[in-house]
PDB file of all heavy atoms in Angstrom:
ATOM      1  N   ASP O 262       5.715  -5.381 -27.451  1.00 97.00           N
ATOM      2  CA  ASP O 262       5.987  -4.630 -28.679  1.00 97.00           C
ATOM      3  C   ASP O 262       5.209  -3.323 -28.731  1.00 97.00           C
ATOM      4  O   ASP O 262       5.601  -2.382 -29.443  1.00 97.00           O
ATOM      5  CB  ASP O 262       5.644  -5.474 -29.902  1.00 97.00           C
ATOM      6  CG  ASP O 262       6.582  -6.660 -30.083  1.00 97.00           C
ATOM      7  OD1 ASP O 262       7.698  -6.606 -29.520  1.00 97.00           O
ATOM      8  OD2 ASP O 262       6.197  -7.630 -30.756  1.00 97.00           O
ATOM      9  N   GLY O 263       4.107  -3.248 -27.988  1.00 97.00           N
ATOM     10  CA  GLY O 263       3.275  -2.050 -28.012  1.00 97.00           C
ATOM     11  C   GLY O 263       3.575  -1.051 -26.923  1.00 97.00           C
ATOM     12  O   GLY O 263       2.864  -0.041 -26.795  1.00 97.00           O
ATOM     13  N   VAL O 264       4.630  -1.291 -26.127  1.00 98.00           N
ATOM     14  CA  VAL O 264       4.975  -0.358 -25.054  1.00 98.00           C
ATOM     15  C   VAL O 264       5.725   0.847 -25.637  1.00 98.00           C
ATOM     16  O   VAL O 264       6.699   0.681 -26.376  1.00 98.00           O
ATOM     17  CB  VAL O 264       5.842  -1.037 -23.979  1.00 98.00           C
ATOM     18  CG1 VAL O 264       6.209  -0.023 -22.883  1.00 98.00           C
ATOM     19  CG2 VAL O 264       5.116  -2.230 -23.367  1.00 98.00           C
ATOM     20  N   ARG O 265       5.282   2.045 -25.274  1.00 98.00           N
ATOM     21  CA  ARG O 265       5.996   3.265 -25.632  1.00 98.00           C
ATOM     22  C   ARG O 265       6.634   3.814 -24.356  1.00 98.00           C
ATOM     23  O   ARG O 265       5.964   3.989 -23.338  1.00 98.00           O
ATOM     24  CB  ARG O 265       5.045   4.292 -26.229  1.00 98.00           C
ATOM     25  CG  ARG O 265       4.432   3.861 -27.551  1.00 98.00           C
ATOM     26  CD  ARG O 265       3.489   4.932 -28.079  1.00 98.00           C
ATOM     27  NE  ARG O 265       4.202   6.192 -28.341  1.00 98.00           N
ATOM     28  CZ  ARG O 265       3.580   7.325 -28.691  1.00 98.00           C
ATOM     29  NH1 ARG O 265       2.251   7.358 -28.796  1.00 98.00           N
ATOM     30  NH2 ARG O 265       4.281   8.426 -28.930  1.00 98.00           N
ATOM     31  N   TRP O 266       7.928   4.080 -24.409  1.00 98.00           N
ATOM     32  CA  TRP O 266       8.667   4.532 -23.233  1.00 98.00           C
ATOM     33  C   TRP O 266       8.907   6.031 -23.289  1.00 98.00           C
ATOM     34  O   TRP O 266       9.306   6.569 -24.325  1.00 98.00           O
ATOM     35  CB  TRP O 266      10.001   3.788 -23.118  1.00 98.00           C
ATOM     36  CG  TRP O 266       9.851   2.327 -22.842  1.00 98.00           C
ATOM     37  CD1 TRP O 266       9.966   1.295 -23.732  1.00 98.00           C
ATOM     38  CD2 TRP O 266       9.538   1.735 -21.577  1.00 98.00           C
ATOM     39  NE1 TRP O 266       9.747   0.093 -23.101  1.00 98.00           N
ATOM     40  CE2 TRP O 266       9.486   0.331 -21.768  1.00 98.00           C
ATOM     41  CE3 TRP O 266       9.301   2.244 -20.293  1.00 98.00           C
ATOM     42  CZ2 TRP O 266       9.215  -0.564 -20.741  1.00 98.00           C
ATOM     43  CZ3 TRP O 266       9.026   1.355 -19.264  1.00 98.00           C
ATOM     44  CH2 TRP O 266       8.982  -0.031 -19.484  1.00 98.00           C
ATOM     45  N   PHE O 267       8.676   6.697 -22.149  1.00 98.00           N
ATOM     46  CA  PHE O 267       8.855   8.144 -22.034  1.00 98.00           C
ATOM     47  C   PHE O 267       9.861   8.417 -20.924  1.00 98.00           C
ATOM     48  O   PHE O 267       9.643   8.055 -19.770  1.00 98.00           O
ATOM     49  CB  PHE O 267       7.512   8.819 -21.719  1.00 98.00           C
ATOM     50  CG  PHE O 267       6.502   8.692 -22.822  1.00 98.00           C
ATOM     51  CD1 PHE O 267       5.730   7.542 -22.949  1.00 98.00           C
ATOM     52  CD2 PHE O 267       6.335   9.708 -23.744  1.00 98.00           C
ATOM     53  CE1 PHE O 267       4.793   7.416 -23.964  1.00 98.00           C
ATOM     54  CE2 PHE O 267       5.408   9.600 -24.774  1.00 98.00           C
ATOM     55  CZ  PHE O 267       4.639   8.448 -24.895  1.00 98.00           C
ATOM     56  N   GLU O 268      10.979   9.040 -21.290  1.00 98.00           N
ATOM     57  CA  GLU O 268      12.033   9.333 -20.322  1.00 98.00           C
ATOM     58  C   GLU O 268      11.593  10.447 -19.368  1.00 98.00           C
ATOM     59  O   GLU O 268      11.013  11.455 -19.804  1.00 98.00           O
ATOM     60  CB  GLU O 268      13.310   9.771 -21.053  1.00 98.00           C
ATOM     61  CG  GLU O 268      13.874   8.748 -22.020  1.00 98.00           C
ATOM     62  CD  GLU O 268      14.517   7.554 -21.320  1.00 98.00           C
ATOM     63  OE1 GLU O 268      14.952   7.725 -20.156  1.00 98.00           O
ATOM     64  OE2 GLU O 268      14.586   6.478 -21.937  1.00 98.00           O
ATOM     65  N   ILE O 269      11.874  10.261 -18.064  1.00 98.00           N
ATOM     66  CA  ILE O 269      11.577  11.281 -17.064  1.00 98.00           C
ATOM     67  C   ILE O 269      12.823  11.521 -16.212  1.00 98.00           C
ATOM     68  O   ILE O 269      13.818  10.796 -16.327  1.00 98.00           O
ATOM     69  CB  ILE O 269      10.386  10.876 -16.165  1.00 98.00           C
ATOM     70  CG1 ILE O 269      10.712   9.596 -15.380  1.00 98.00           C
ATOM     71  CG2 ILE O 269       9.126  10.712 -16.992  1.00 98.00           C
ATOM     72  CD1 ILE O 269       9.663   9.218 -14.344  1.00 98.00           C
ATOM     73  N   GLU O 270      12.763  12.511 -15.364  1.00 96.00           N
ATOM     74  CA  GLU O 270      13.892  12.810 -14.488  1.00 96.00           C
ATOM     75  C   GLU O 270      14.088  11.651 -13.507  1.00 96.00           C
ATOM     76  O   GLU O 270      13.117  11.137 -12.953  1.00 96.00           O
ATOM     77  CB  GLU O 270      13.623  14.103 -13.718  1.00 96.00           C
ATOM     78  CG  GLU O 270      14.828  14.646 -12.980  1.00 96.00           C
ATOM     79  CD  GLU O 270      14.574  16.024 -12.394  1.00 96.00           C
ATOM     80  OE1 GLU O 270      13.497  16.599 -12.681  1.00 96.00           O
ATOM     81  OE2 GLU O 270      15.444  16.524 -11.660  1.00 96.00           O
ATOM     82  N   PRO O 271      15.348  11.223 -13.276  1.00 95.00           N
ATOM     83  CA  PRO O 271      15.568  10.099 -12.361  1.00 95.00           C
ATOM     84  C   PRO O 271      14.946  10.339 -10.990  1.00 95.00           C
ATOM     85  O   PRO O 271      15.112  11.415 -10.396  1.00 95.00           O
ATOM     86  CB  PRO O 271      17.094  10.010 -12.282  1.00 95.00           C
ATOM     87  CG  PRO O 271      17.562  10.555 -13.580  1.00 95.00           C
ATOM     88  CD  PRO O 271      16.605  11.665 -13.904  1.00 95.00           C
ATOM     89  N   CYS O 272      14.224   9.349 -10.496  1.00 95.00           N
ATOM     90  CA  CYS O 272      13.532   9.460  -9.220  1.00 95.00           C
ATOM     91  C   CYS O 272      13.081   8.054  -8.824  1.00 95.00           C
ATOM     92  O   CYS O 272      13.316   7.082  -9.545  1.00 95.00           O
ATOM     93  CB  CYS O 272      12.303  10.367  -9.341  1.00 95.00           C
ATOM     94  SG  CYS O 272      11.021   9.720 -10.459  1.00 95.00           S
ATOM     95  N   TYR O 273      12.450   7.958  -7.662  1.00 95.00           N
ATOM     96  CA  TYR O 273      11.784   6.704  -7.313  1.00 95.00           C
ATOM     97  C   TYR O 273      10.357   7.011  -6.871  1.00 95.00           C
ATOM     98  O   TYR O 273      10.091   8.035  -6.227  1.00 95.00           O
ATOM     99  CB  TYR O 273      12.517   5.937  -6.207  1.00 95.00           C
ATOM    100  CG  TYR O 273      11.982   4.523  -6.098  1.00 95.00           C
ATOM    101  CD1 TYR O 273      12.228   3.602  -7.108  1.00 95.00           C
ATOM    102  CD2 TYR O 273      11.184   4.132  -5.031  1.00 95.00           C
ATOM    103  CE1 TYR O 273      11.714   2.324  -7.057  1.00 95.00           C
ATOM    104  CE2 TYR O 273      10.665   2.849  -4.964  1.00 95.00           C
ATOM    105  CZ  TYR O 273      10.936   1.946  -5.985  1.00 95.00           C
ATOM    106  OH  TYR O 273      10.403   0.675  -5.930  1.00 95.00           O
ATOM    107  N   ILE O 274       9.449   6.125  -7.237  1.00 96.00           N
ATOM    108  CA  ILE O 274       8.031   6.245  -6.883  1.00 96.00           C
ATOM    109  C   ILE O 274       7.612   4.954  -6.204  1.00 96.00           C
ATOM    110  O   ILE O 274       7.644   3.885  -6.826  1.00 96.00           O
ATOM    111  CB  ILE O 274       7.170   6.492  -8.136  1.00 96.00           C
ATOM    112  CG1 ILE O 274       7.557   7.815  -8.801  1.00 96.00           C
ATOM    113  CG2 ILE O 274       5.682   6.471  -7.787  1.00 96.00           C
ATOM    114  CD1 ILE O 274       6.966   8.004 -10.178  1.00 96.00           C
TER     115      ILE O 274
END
Side-chain angles (χ1 to χ4, degrees):
D262 292 339
V264 179
R265 295 180 62 186
W266 294 102
F267 295 83
E268 301 288 335
I269 62 173
E270 191 172 353
C272 64
Y273 193 69
I274 298 168

